Amino acid sequence: MTVPDTVRRRAPWRLLTLAVVVLAAVGVLAATGLQGSLVYYKTTSELLADPSLQGERLRLGGLVVPASVSRGPDGVSFVLTDGVQEVRVVNSEQPRGVFTEGQGALVEGIFGADGVFRSDLLLVKHGNEYKAPEEPGEPPAVKDVSR
């Protein structure tokens, strides 16, 4: 018994169609899964130049402006700058020991219509070199790598 030629010719098209449908389904699932987990990084100038970023969760990076840090029971507030524009940041948690003025920092949160960036995550840029504090309770010395 032999298979007619028309059946032999359809088989590759069926497999190709099935492969395209499966790849499209995987692509839609991947795009849907990543949609809520992407957080974009912006500088202070980029943030202030784009009003559509208000209310969106994003990461903001820059240097902590000297004499701008204010600590309170609900967290810490400070000003971040990229050297051109400045943005006030209110962080809901107390930063760990290596957070200082004039240092590079990255915060994640939401920029409000009032011009304040409210963050719940604060990451501090520091060097790889660790030096134990000489006095108990003193923050460890960190090599400045921001330049």
Side-chain angles (χ1 to χ4, degrees):
M1 183 170 151
T2 62
V3 178
D5 286 341
T6 56
V7 174
R8 279 192 208 156
R9 290 185 184 159
R10 281 192 219 163
W13 288 107
R14 287 181 183 170
L15 287 175
L16 184 62
T17 303
L18 179 64
V20 168
V21 169
V22 169
L23 287 175
V26 169
V28 168
L29 287 175
T32 304
L34 289 175
Q35 197 170 24
S37 64
L38 293 177
V39 178
Y40 295 102
Y41 169 82
K42 299 290 181 185
T43 64
T44 54
S45 294
E46 292 170 338
L47 177 67
L48 294 175
D50 189 356
S52 69
L53 295 174
Q54 286 183 359
E56 288 192 30
R57 187 166 183 84
L58 52 96
R59 288 185 171 188
L60 179 68
L63 293 176
V64 178
V65 174
S68 69
V69 177
S70 170
R71 295 176 192 260
D74 298 331
V76 63
S77 70
F78 53 93
V79 176
L80 270 184
T81 184
D82 62 354
V84 179
Q85 296 283 337
E86 295 181 347
V87 173
R88 170 141 308 272
V89 176
V90 175
N91 188 50
S92 61
E93 295 180 358
Q94 290 292 338
R96 302 221 168 108
V98 293
F99 177 77
T100 60
E101 297 172 346
Q103 185 177 32
L106 180 79
V107 291
E108 185 174 319
I110 296 173
F111 186 57
D114 57 356
V116 176
F117 191 90
R118 289 176 175 73
S119 73
D120 54 4
L121 177 67
L122 171 64
L123 303 172
V124 178
K125 184 176 181 180
H126 61 83
N128 294 332
E129 190 174 315
Y130 175 79
K131 184 178 177 184
E134 295 177 12
E135 296 290 327
E138 186 176 291
V142 179
K143 183 180 177 184
D144 185 13
V145 294
S146 61
R147 294 179 194 155

